[in-house]
Amino acid sequence: METVVGVEGSDEGKCEESGVEKSSSSLSSPKQIADPVVYKLVRVEGDGRLVPATDDEVMEVEEFLVDEKIELPVVTDAGNVECISNEESSSGKSHKESSEGLSHSENTEPDAKLSARLEYIEEMLQKVKQEEKLRLACGSPDHSSAFMNVDSQCTDQHDKLPAIDKKLQSEIPLQEIVPSSDLSLDDSHINESARIGECSKPSDGPIESGSPASVICNSSKPDFYTLKGEICLDNLSIRELHGLFRATFGRETTVKDKLWLKRRIAMGLTNSCDVSTTTFTIIDNKLVNKGTDNSFQNADGMLTEGSDGEVKNLGYETSPTSHSSQMENHQIVSGKRLGNLSVELDCGSDDLQMEHRGAKRVRKPTKRYIEELSEVESRDYTPKVISSAKNTGQGQTSPKYCIRPPGNAPLNERTIVTRLDSLGGSGVQVPFVSRVRRSRPRKNIMALMKFDSSGMGVAAKLVQEALSVRSSPESEHADKDSKVRSASEQIQPLFAAEPEKDKRRSVISTIELGKNLGLKQTDSSEDNSDDGIATVPTAKGGMRRKHHRAWTLVEVIKLVEGVSKCGTGRWSEIKRLSFASYSYRTSVDLKDKWRNLLKASFAQTPPDDGINSRKHASVPIPAAILLKVRELAEMHAQVPPNLGPGKLPSVSRSVHQTRSGYL
DNA sequence: CTTAGGG
DNA sequence: CCCTAAG
């Protein structure tokens, strides 16, 4: 078994042979081993299989990645900045073009990893160039972004280049333009630059009509985008952005910078959906699910078009997920939105499940649990007192991890414990309220601390996660139906209530975080991987998660998606398919969350009723998701007996009125 | 080991 | 989320 980095020398040779034109920066240095863009650390098993590298292995090469990465995007950076400042001016255009060209070749070469692909890509380049010539006025192909995305995914960890952010950021707004089926490759840049202006000034008239080239080809963009759905963050206020941020990442932010927030959110919404495409699209603050599939179209488009998607996927050849996502698409195809029976198509065994569902499982009252609980309560009689400390905020914090025996604490005193949170490899101490464990006291506190504070392990993990982020090679066009729908719909406030600030159980000091994680667009990996957080060694030897990790919007979407794919009740399946990269979130969690979603979706949200007015409500779930949940619930005959049938007729309409449930 | 339910 | 009982 040998550890290899990507593909070596032979490929480089190939790359040069195939004569990718323009200057090649990465190739020019012969010593380079790893390609920052798509190379992925793998191990070659005896049988020739490629397996993801272990943490250690990743760590070994980490430096290379960093080094290269720094220099790579810089070029494009200049171009982008230029774009922004120049707006639509023609000079800006040419600038862009040239910079694009550079990034082009630069990025392309690394991809030569697979020779066949390379040649293919090259063809594309040629094509693109021709196109460029033909459409000089319009702009240039938008390749760089795809690469940058990949790049950032791979090396997220280490440093964020403004260029990337800007790029992404600038592209987000593009999405609000309805994707056209047209395959033309260009225009995006003009739009981009135009958009950027609009970004800063949301009030600038209708976005669609704003730019001359309002028709944008989806396939010309990285499928990363089309994949993930579209979101317009432009018009959101800071507060809204905060809310969205929280919904997305499950934590608060104090950053006031709109741009920052927007790109973080954008990244979160896109990047973290690594496994499969969503059937949802966020348009104008609304989340709508696209009913039709475009997988074939897209695949087609990519082939003929030479989209970035192709290139991007080079690194991840035949990941198991691609298959699944395709499956998904097929299913989605077969059953449009409502009355979707695709699930049955998927698995013939569903019928059985249906039968099983008929009879609820009956269950004896648990014994041990009850006994234990009562025992605890009788023994230390003050759980109430302790929990009341929650409201009083933070008092003294002890630098060390110490728990006072509950009985000892004077009634007036607050019991506060500091827990060492490791976030992104940085140990951050946050005060939190000690919760009396119902059972199984921690075995070894020192071990815990060591685990938490050792940045290495975590970092390695992060790296791995980042590297293993993958996406499926399909993009989606908004189907006409949903397009029309969304267009006609009134803009719906995404957030019913303003985020509560006070009761947050543990407020992460964002400032410190900002230092360490700061301008990385690592949200996805952040979300994915810091499972060093709040886990507790159990007597059984396993590490058990402790305490609440807020569900992010992405997760919810993925969950819904998963359910639609596999049906309810196959949680382990769903976990494998859609939550592969989320080490936390057990199948049980999925189940629980689904239960809650169901509850939320069927809990009528009478407009006047308290829910909306409650300020402390947690982050709302976009109505569209709830709608989807309901549909799924229906088709799986999971409708809660009480509220089920009665409400259904009005669902499609009422959902738009019903603001939301809560995450 | 996975799922269903109750807390 | 946590915990257990059923499969």
Side-chain angles (χ1 to χ4, degrees):
Chain A
M1 229 188 286
E2 176 191 8
T3 301
V4 295
V5 177
V7 182
E8 336 62 44
S10 59
D11 289 324
E12 286 187 20
K14 207 128 200 178
C15 197
E16 284 177 353
E17 273 177 9
S18 49
V20 175
E21 56 282 303
K22 295 176 182 175
S23 68
S24 63
S25 61
S26 25
L27 271 185
S28 55
S29 58
K31 294 193 173 155
Q32 283 178 342
I33 301 173
D35 167 17
V37 179
V38 287
Y39 284 5
K40 182 177 176 179
L41 261 190
V42 294
R43 226 154 12 94
V44 180
E45 292 280 38
D47 54 356
R49 270 184 313 126
L50 299 182
V51 300
T54 64
D55 293 356
D56 292 337
E57 289 165 347
V58 172
M59 294 289 288
E60 288 178 12
V61 239
E62 195 174 313
E63 341 170 357
F64 295 108
L65 296 182
V66 179
D67 289 342
E68 286 192 339
K69 182 169 180 299
I70 290 178
E71 57 187 16
L72 191 97
V74 167
V75 175
T76 54
D77 178 38
N80 285 321
V81 171
E82 208 60 33
C83 283
I84 292 171
S85 59
N86 280 345
E87 303 243 3
E88 308 185 31
S89 69
S90 57
S91 64
K93 224 184 296 173
S94 57
H95 235 321
K96 262 170 272 170
E97 242 171 326
S98 57
S99 65
E100 278 304 321
L102 277 180
S103 61
H104 238 272
S105 56
E106 209 173 305
N107 287 307
T108 306
E109 287 151 9
D111 284 331
K113 175 177 178 180
L114 302 174
S115 57
R117 295 277 188 157
L118 178 72
E119 288 173 356
Y120 171 66
I121 291 170
E122 207 188 337
E123 277 185 15
M124 318 280 248
L125 286 178
Q126 301 287 0
K127 249 188 161 178
V128 166
K129 273 160 88 182
Q130 289 179 4
E131 285 241 22
E132 264 183 38
K133 283 178 184 170
L134 290 179
R135 316 183 183 229
L136 256 184
C138 291
S140 56
D142 192 11
H143 275 212
S144 61
S145 51
F147 293 109
M148 299 188 85
N149 288 337
V150 175
D151 186 9
S152 63
Q153 283 179 359
C154 290
T155 47
D156 266 355
Q157 285 306 94
H158 309 292
D159 60 316
K160 277 313 116 187
L161 297 169
I164 296 177
D165 287 345
K166 270 181 183 139
K167 183 80 183 178
L168 292 176
Q169 152 81 15
S170 65
E171 279 191 8
I172 299 300
L174 288 178
Q175 295 299 317
E176 54 191 76
I177 292 173
V178 187
S180 83
S181 52
D182 180 18
L183 289 182
S184 66
L185 249 182
D186 44 6
D187 295 347
S188 47
H189 279 85
I190 289 194
N191 274 312
E192 194 171 322
S193 50
R195 285 284 169 271
I196 289 166
E198 288 178 16
C199 258
S200 48
K201 317 175 251 180
S203 54
D204 272 7
I207 294 174
E208 254 109 325
S209 59
S211 78
S214 55
V215 179
I216 289 183
C217 175
N218 242 356
S219 50
S220 73
K221 269 172 274 187
D223 53 64
F224 160 98
Y225 270 119
T226 48
L227 264 191
K228 257 15 237 162
E230 320 170 352
I231 185 168
C232 169
L233 302 170
D234 286 352
N235 298 325
L236 298 182
S237 69
I238 295 260
R239 189 194 295 172
E240 285 168 329
L241 286 173
H242 277 179
L244 189 47
F245 184 95
R246 199 175 86 194
T248 307
F249 304 124
R251 63 179 173 82
E252 292 282 2
T253 180
T254 58
V255 177
K256 296 289 195 299
D257 183 8
K258 261 193 177 182
L259 286 184
W260 188 87
L261 287 170
K262 283 193 281 192
R263 68 178 176 236
R264 295 274 294 191
I265 293 169
M267 285 303 296
L269 285 178
T270 50
N271 241 359
S272 53
C273 298
D274 42 314
V275 169
S276 59
T277 65
T278 319
T279 52
F280 293 108
T281 301
I282 298 178
I283 297 174
D284 285 343
N285 295 349
K286 299 191 62 152
L287 230 159
V288 299
N289 52 327
K290 307 174 177 182
T292 65
D293 82 319
N294 296 285
S295 59
F296 289 133
Q297 266 186 21
N298 290 331
D300 213 19
M302 291 197 302
L303 286 179
T304 59
E305 189 72 14
S307 79
D308 312 286
E310 273 295 315
V311 176
K312 180 182 173 189
N313 285 324
L314 282 179
Y316 313 110
E317 254 347 62
T318 63
S319 76
T321 53
S322 65
H323 176 62
S324 65
S325 55
Q326 282 186 3
M327 296 271 295
E328 174 190 7
N329 256 354
H330 283 256
Q331 291 171 10
I332 292 174
V333 176
S334 58
K336 274 227 169 174
R337 334 174 329 157
L338 244 163
N340 176 342
L341 296 181
S342 59
V343 175
E344 257 110 34
L345 293 178
D346 174 74
C347 29
S349 60
D350 268 351
D351 296 350
L352 290 178
Q353 284 193 355
M354 297 288 276
E355 286 182 359
H356 284 306
R357 262 181 233 120
K360 254 186 175 177
R361 208 139 79 175
V362 279
R363 167 173 187 271
K364 278 195 269 182
T366 64
K367 283 175 190 159
R368 193 174 76 91
Y369 183 43
I370 293 179
E371 288 170 5
E372 260 185 17
L373 192 55
S374 60
E375 180 187 345
V376 167
E377 279 181 347
S378 62
R379 198 182 32 192
D380 42 71
Y381 91 108
T382 49
K384 289 274 160 71
V385 172
I386 291 174
S387 63
S388 73
K390 188 188 295 182
N391 295 333
T392 56
Q394 50 191 43
Q396 342 94 298
T397 61
S398 55
K400 274 214 149 197
Y401 191 93
C402 70
I403 301 179
R404 276 182 221 167
N408 291 349
L411 288 182
N412 288 339
E413 233 174 9
R414 292 165 273 200
T415 306
I416 292 181
V417 182
T418 356
R419 150 185 98 187
L420 216 60
D421 262 358
S422 86
L423 292 157
S426 68
V428 180
Q429 286 191 340
V430 299
F432 81 113
V433 181
S434 114
R435 223 169 101 178
V436 178
R437 233 24 241 143
R438 280 189 282 220
S439 60
R440 276 178 238 153
R442 292 173 184 79
K443 188 164 60 178
N444 186 351
I445 292 179
M446 288 314 289
L448 172 63
M449 291 192 61
K450 191 178 179 186
F451 176 80
D452 271 348
S453 58
S454 74
M456 288 297 277
V458 176
K461 227 167 181 149
L462 285 172
V463 171
Q464 188 186 7
E465 294 273 353
L467 285 177
S468 66
V469 171
R470 69 190 69 83
S471 56
S472 52
E474 69 185 288
S475 58
E476 254 177 301
H477 296 225
D479 92 280
K480 200 177 179 182
D481 190 9
S482 63
K483 210 154 66 177
V484 170
R485 230 178 17 145
S486 64
S488 61
E489 281 166 0
Q490 272 299 309
I491 294 180
Q492 194 178 20
L494 190 52
F495 309 102
E498 75 178 4
E500 63 163 347
K501 303 250 165 151
D502 41 352
K503 297 205 174 166
R504 207 85 183 120
R505 195 172 307 161
S506 66
V507 178
I508 300 169
S509 74
T510 324
I511 297 176
E512 283 195 24
L513 273 180
K515 253 189 190 165
N516 297 314
L517 299 172
L519 297 176
K520 311 175 181 181
Q521 44 197 199
T522 327
D523 293 274
S524 61
S525 63
E526 187 179 321
D527 276 342
N528 289 348
S529 59
D530 56 351
D531 35 24
I533 191 173
T535 58
V536 163
T538 57
K540 288 160 189 161
M543 232 41 168
R544 191 185 54 207
R545 173 182 64 247
K546 198 181 71 173
H547 299 181
H548 200 61
R549 179 181 210 125
W551 276 71
T552 68
L553 212 148
V554 221
E555 287 172 317
V556 172
I557 291 173
K558 287 165 86 81
L559 173 59
V560 172
E561 187 182 321
V563 169
S564 74
K565 214 187 303 181
C566 306
T568 55
R570 303 171 43 144
W571 305 114
S572 60
E573 272 281 305
I574 296 178
K575 192 208 168 1
R576 270 209 312 279
L577 291 179
S578 302
F579 285 76
S581 53
Y582 294 76
S583 45
Y584 51 100
R585 301 303 180 215
T586 69
S587 57
V588 175
D589 292 327
L590 300 190
K591 185 254 317 174
D592 284 336
K593 182 55 183 177
W594 180 255
R595 187 169 42 175
N596 289 336
L597 275 179
L598 222 57
K599 222 188 312 172
S601 71
F602 279 101
Q604 287 310 316
T605 33
D608 342 302
D609 217 8
I611 300 188
N612 282 341
S613 54
R614 269 204 305 235
K615 291 205 165 64
H616 57 283
S618 46
V619 178
I621 297 175
I625 291 185
L626 293 183
L627 169 61
K628 184 66 180 178
V629 169
R630 272 157 95 140
E631 289 175 7
L632 290 173
E634 276 181 55
M635 84 177 54
H636 292 191
Q638 284 196 339
V639 179
N642 303 347
L643 351 95
K647 282 295 183 180
L648 295 183
S650 60
V651 161
S652 57
R653 238 172 20 84
S654 74
V655 156
H656 299 313
Q657 297 172 348
T658 41
R659 319 277 292 261
S660 50
Y662 299 96
L663 222 51

